[in-house]
Amino acid sequence: MLERHLEKLAKEWEVKRGFSTSTPGVFEIPLGDDLSIVLTAIDSGFSLYTVLGSCTVEKKGDFFLKLLASCNLGESTRGAIFSLDEKENLVLSQWVRNAPQYRDFYEIIEDYVEIVDTWRAVLELEVLAK
């Protein structure tokens, strides 16, 4: 399902090389030079994963509270969650636990890209405020 949907998405977005990676079941949608969405097929759906950037903000406590409130209410993340990786990068992840039709898949990707763009900008503003 995921591979077929991504093939169709690549055609619609006119991405000639597609989104495949060297790892079976793992795909990458580039959004910029240092930003991409990694999609991984799971048993009953797929996951999305994006490293938003280094979390070197001045007031980490305040920033983490902002992230926590966004995740708890879900409005700002539409079900995606934040975490930190081992390098202190802010990561956005989401799991889709069903096999959606293409139209729903497309909307999920559009929403996720919007969330990535929004929170990447928020993180950059926080880092610049240092």
Side-chain angles (χ1 to χ4, degrees):
M1 174 274 313
L2 183 58
E3 188 170 354
R4 283 182 283 128
H5 287 348
L6 286 166
E7 286 172 4
K8 187 171 182 175
L9 183 66
K11 286 179 185 174
E12 288 182 14
W13 286 2
E14 299 177 358
V15 177
K16 292 185 169 109
R17 70 170 189 83
F19 302 119
S20 295
T21 66
S22 59
T23 307
V26 178
F27 306 87
E28 184 173 15
I29 299 174
L31 301 177
D33 291 338
D34 64 341
L35 187 65
S36 64
I37 301 170
V38 176
L39 294 95
T40 305
I42 56 176
D43 289 339
S44 60
F46 61 97
S47 67
L48 302 107
Y49 177 92
T50 303
V51 176
L52 297 174
S54 180
C55 192
T56 56
V57 299
E58 180 72 23
K59 298 179 181 179
K60 277 192 178 180
D62 292 342
F63 184 63
F64 289 164
L65 283 174
K66 184 187 294 188
L67 296 176
L68 183 61
S70 297
C71 283
N72 281 341
L73 300 175
E75 286 183 28
S76 299
T77 61
R78 297 184 189 133
I81 60 169
F82 295 106
S83 62
L84 293 176
D85 68 9
E86 65 280 352
K87 296 178 183 176
E88 294 288 314
N89 289 313
L90 183 62
V91 174
L92 184 70
S93 304
Q94 185 172 3
W95 292 265
V96 178
R97 303 211 184 272
N98 57 19
Q101 297 296 319
Y102 180 74
R103 183 176 179 191
D104 296 328
F105 171 80
Y106 188 87
E107 289 176 6
I108 290 166
I109 298 300
E110 274 189 328
D111 287 347
Y112 190 82
V113 168
E114 185 178 310
I115 296 162
V116 166
D117 287 344
T118 299
W119 284 99
R120 174 76 179 249
V122 169
L123 178 61
E124 287 175 355
L125 287 173
E126 291 287 337
V127 169
L128 290 175
K130 265 174 79 168

